[in-house]
């Protein structure tokens, strides 16, 4: 297809190919090309974290990454967080702590929290609040989200 670039990447463990324009963000590719709409668009300018995904182990705002930059990378989106038979402990803790209202920010918070707890299972409240400073929520007031992440950390530690 003229004007489009072929990209080969790995998304949620699956080898994935797509065609995109050089100007398209990874967020646009995920949502509009690959129809993976779990990753949300809030601001589209790097301020809200709703579009958070993990690229080669780092949490990034997918609205600030070009689709072509996915070439050769390993990407985790919210669709890859749960296992086939059960929710990830972070997802379960969000449910049980009522840590969401409208839900637009939730995939970004869950992806970012998972990345933190996998690296720092002993993250305390201050560390969690600092880590999640790039994820904005207009509904919950953050306390329930932070409680959910602390709860998930305890569950993940107990499983180790
Ligand atoms: S949509 Fe990417 S940071 Fe807001
Ligand atoms: S639950 Fe609505 S923005 Fe966070």
């Amino acid at each position: 297809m003229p004007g489009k670039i072929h990209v080969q990447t790995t998304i949620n463990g699956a080898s994935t190919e797509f065609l995109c324009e050089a100007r398209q963000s990874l967020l646009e590719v995920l949502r509009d090309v690959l129809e993976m709409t779990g990753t949300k668009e809030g601001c589209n300018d790097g301020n809200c974290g709703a579009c958070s995904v993990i690229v080669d182990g780092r949490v990034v705002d997918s609205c600030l990454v070009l689709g072509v930059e996915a070439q050769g990378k390993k990407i985790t989106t919210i669709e890859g967080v749960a296992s086939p038979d059960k929710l990830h402990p972070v997802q379960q803790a969000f449910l049980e702590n009522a840590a969401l209202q409208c839900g637009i920010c939730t995939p970004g918070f869950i992806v970012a929290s998972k990345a933190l707890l996998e690296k720092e299972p002993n993250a305390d409240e201050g560390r969690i609040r600092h880590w999640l400073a790039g994820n904005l929520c207009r509904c919950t007031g953050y306390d329930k989200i932070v409680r959910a992440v602390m709860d998930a950390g305890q569950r993940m530690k107990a499983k180790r």
Side-chain angles (χ1 to χ4, degrees), residues 60-146:
V60 301
D61 292 331
S62 61
C63 68
L64 297 183
V65 176
L66 290 171
V68 294
E69 292 180 278
Q71 175 65 39
K73 301 284 202 306
K74 287 190 171 54
I75 297 170
T76 302
T77 70
I78 187 66
E79 287 89 349
V81 170
S83 54
D85 56 339
K86 65 175 183 323
L87 294 176
H88 187 277
V90 175
Q91 293 173 308
Q92 192 63 39
F94 266 63
L95 274 181
E96 292 177 15
N97 286 275
L100 61 149
Q101 290 181 29
C102 80
I104 284 287
C105 68
T106 310
F109 270 102
I110 287 175
V111 165
S113 301
K114 170 185 181 305
L116 170 64
L117 294 176
E118 284 175 354
K119 284 190 193 135
E120 299 179 37
N122 294 314
D124 62 11
E125 179 177 348
R127 178 63 177 144
I128 291 167
R129 286 185 183 273
H130 186 262
W131 181 268
L132 294 176
N135 291 81
L136 303 184
C137 176
R138 290 295 178 233
C139 305
T140 64
Y142 299 100
D143 280 342
K144 288 179 177 178
I145 292 173
V146 172

Side-chain angles (χ1 to χ4, degrees), residues 27 40-52 61-64:
L27 175 61
K40 302 304 181 200
E41 179 183 327
C43 62
N44 209 25
D45 62 11
N47 275 297
C48 75
C51 65
S52 299
D61 292 331
S62 61
C63 68
L64 297 183

Side-chain angles (χ1 to χ4, degrees), residues 6-26:
H6 176 256
V7 176
Q8 168 85 52
T9 187
T10 302
I11 301 181
N12 300 329
S15 178
T16 305
E17 295 177 65
F18 58 82
L19 294 171
C20 71
E21 296 171 32
R23 61 156 193 90
Q24 281 185 298
S25 69
L26 177 58

